[in-house]
Amino acid sequence: MKTIIAACSQNLSGSRASVQSALRTLLAAPWPSQRDICSWLQLLAVLQWVLSFLLLGTVSLLLLVYLVFTSFWPISALYLAWIIFDWDTPEKGGRRLPCLRRWPVWRHFRDYFPVKLVKTHDLSPSHNYIIGSHPHGILCVGAFCNFITGSTGFGEMFPGIRPFLTTLAGNFRLPVFREYLMSGGLCPVTRRAIGYLLSKNGTGNAVAIVIGGAAESLSCRPGVTTLILKNRKGFVRMALQHGAYLVPSFSFGENDLFRQVVFEEGSWMRSIQQRFQKMMGFAPCVFYGRGLTSVQSRGFLPYARPITTVVGEPVTVPKIEDPSCETVDMYHEMYVRSLLKLFNENKTKYGLSETDELRIL
């Protein structure tokens, strides 16, 4: 009996020593620093944004279709009824949720790159504005962060101005994703939607349009600044019809976030991209960024490169219900000159050299 008790005591002492040793090892291990935690939060913030834009709409659609064939089919039926009832809301200003725009995750999203907004002139709340956002890049990170999240201080820099950002109308046909887009202040890039914001929503509205669109994304690559703008004049005509001032903006660093395989003009791959763009409204780019676990690995996350969005001087535009082509051309030329001035005055401040030029096609 004494032998058994002694053996048990020895085992307990050994176990206690093992636990104490394990605790000492755990306490001696280096804990993540505050900088490491911030880096992880920033990476997760960017990850959720990329996954939301790439997968949320498609996954939600597939899930609702799947539920049709289960006992949960009323969920799909009710949501379909809701979409039919709510069909025109995106065309009528959407449904902004200020709490989502102030979501703390956007501060981590901003700091990952980081993204910065620079103001050069005041915008009066007594007018409406069309902000031309350049360049498109791959995912329009600068435009989204500055005009949708509010994390860079747009509301404080331009008091009384409500920013909106336009995107493909097809995105608002995807379930759940449409609610996500509208809650942030996105609206379809259609005449009806933009016209509503400029004429029936009071003053102090700033509608940001990524003018180059999908065609411009095909030319996106580091070290090259090419804009598709020469024949894009619809935004100028709308500005004249509604008397909205034209404001150029440029996001320096936007083209450095991803690496893209650029196919030469005339190649069969370029032809496929262009045909797909005409049919679907967006171009299938072959691009890559960093991986989730390492900067050296390849993945779908953007590289951490600084983005500085500079908002330029407004071009005063009169209200003309039916502007002539000559008038549209004149104000389009004024806008291009203002954009070129903005680019040349700021390029050396934000990562470009004095010899870098802005190509407009």
Side-chain angles (χ1 to χ4, degrees):
M1 189 66 179
K2 290 181 179 181
T3 303
I4 296 174
I5 293 173
C8 289
S9 300
Q10 187 174 0
N11 288 338
L12 287 173
S13 299
S15 300
R16 190 180 300 110
S18 299
V19 171
Q20 290 174 347
S21 176
L23 286 174
R24 281 195 297 269
T25 303
L26 181 63
L27 292 173
W31 287 81
S33 65
Q34 185 175 0
R35 183 177 179 180
D36 292 334
I37 294 174
C38 287
S39 297
W40 295 342
L41 290 174
Q42 291 166 11
L43 192 63
L44 289 174
V46 173
L47 176 64
Q48 66 82 27
W49 179 77
V50 171
L51 292 179
S52 296
F53 268 82
L54 295 181
L55 299 177
L56 180 59
T58 303
V59 171
S60 299
L61 179 60
L62 293 175
L63 178 60
L64 288 173
V65 171
Y66 168 75
L67 291 179
V68 169
F69 302 98
T70 69
S71 58
F72 296 101
W73 65 264
I75 295 177
S76 298
L78 288 173
Y79 190 79
L80 177 61
W82 164 252
I83 287 184
I84 295 173
F85 174 78
D86 197 53
W87 191 260
D88 289 335
T89 299
E91 304 277 353
K92 296 180 178 179
R95 190 167 38 246
R96 297 163 67 97
L97 291 178
C99 60
L100 183 64
R101 292 171 61 88
R102 295 193 299 265
W103 199 17
V105 73
W106 299 130
R107 294 198 298 271
H108 299 297
F109 178 86
R110 172 201 64 195
D111 294 338
Y112 170 84
F113 298 96
V115 182
K116 181 182 178 183
L117 180 66
V118 176
K119 167 186 172 180
T120 61
H121 292 78
D122 291 329
L123 299 182
S124 171
S126 60
H127 299 289
N128 286 325
Y129 303 90
I130 289 181
I131 301 178
S133 180
H134 311 273
H136 183 285
I138 297 294
L139 293 179
C140 302
V141 172
F144 177 86
C145 190
N146 287 298
F147 303 129
I148 294 302
T149 71
S151 62
T152 55
F154 185 95
E156 291 74 25
M157 291 186 189
F158 302 101
I161 303 296
R162 294 181 297 276
F164 296 85
L165 179 63
T166 58
T167 186
L168 292 174
N171 289 329
F172 295 89
R173 305 297 178 247
L174 294 173
V176 182
F177 190 45
R178 69 191 293 274
E179 322 298 341
Y180 177 75
L181 295 178
M182 284 193 292
S183 63
L186 284 105
C187 64
V189 61
T190 61
R191 286 184 171 275
R192 184 184 176 191
I194 298 172
Y196 180 91
L197 293 172
L198 297 177
S199 62
K200 299 180 181 179
N201 200 41
T203 59
N205 300 295
V207 183
I209 304 176
V210 187
I211 297 168
E216 194 171 277
S217 66
L218 294 177
S219 302
C220 167
R221 52 182 166 176
V224 178
T225 310
T226 302
L227 303 184
I228 306 298
L229 180 58
K230 188 175 294 184
N231 296 317
R232 300 289 175 99
K233 300 178 181 179
F235 73 102
V236 178
R237 183 175 294 276
M238 289 207 69
L240 286 163
Q241 290 173 341
H242 298 285
Y245 291 5
L246 290 169
V247 183
S249 73
F250 195 93
S251 293
F252 294 91
E254 183 73 45
N255 285 350
D256 298 330
L257 304 182
F258 294 95
R259 301 290 182 269
Q260 181 180 186
V261 179
V262 179
F263 301 100
E264 297 299 327
E265 288 289 344
S267 64
W268 64 275
M269 279 298 297
R270 186 73 165 197
S271 299
I272 291 175
Q273 287 178 315
Q274 291 171 341
R275 289 178 183 177
F276 194 92
Q277 173 202 329
K278 290 179 180 179
M279 291 188 297
M280 304 299 295
F282 65 94
C285 302
V286 181
F287 66 92
Y288 65 88
R290 60 156 291 178
L292 181 62
T293 58
S294 170
V295 178
Q296 283 72 35
S297 62
R298 293 187 179 184
F300 55 89
L301 294 179
Y303 292 107
R305 303 286 187 270
I307 304 172
T308 304
T309 301
V310 185
V311 179
E313 181 179 4
V315 176
T316 303
V317 175
K319 184 175 182 179
I320 305 174
E321 292 187 3
D322 188 20
S324 64
C325 292
E326 292 77 14
T327 303
V328 172
D329 290 342
M330 181 181 70
Y331 280 94
H332 183 271
E333 185 178 346
M334 291 171 62
Y335 175 84
V336 172
R337 285 202 304 267
S338 181
L339 176 62
L340 287 170
K341 178 183 177 184
L342 177 72
F343 176 82
N344 290 324
E345 287 180 349
N346 292 277
K347 61 183 180 181
T348 56
K349 299 177 185 177
Y350 305 114
L352 300 181
S353 67
E354 189 65 42
T355 57
D356 284 323
E357 295 183 355
L358 188 61
R359 296 177 56 206
I360 296 181
L361 302 179

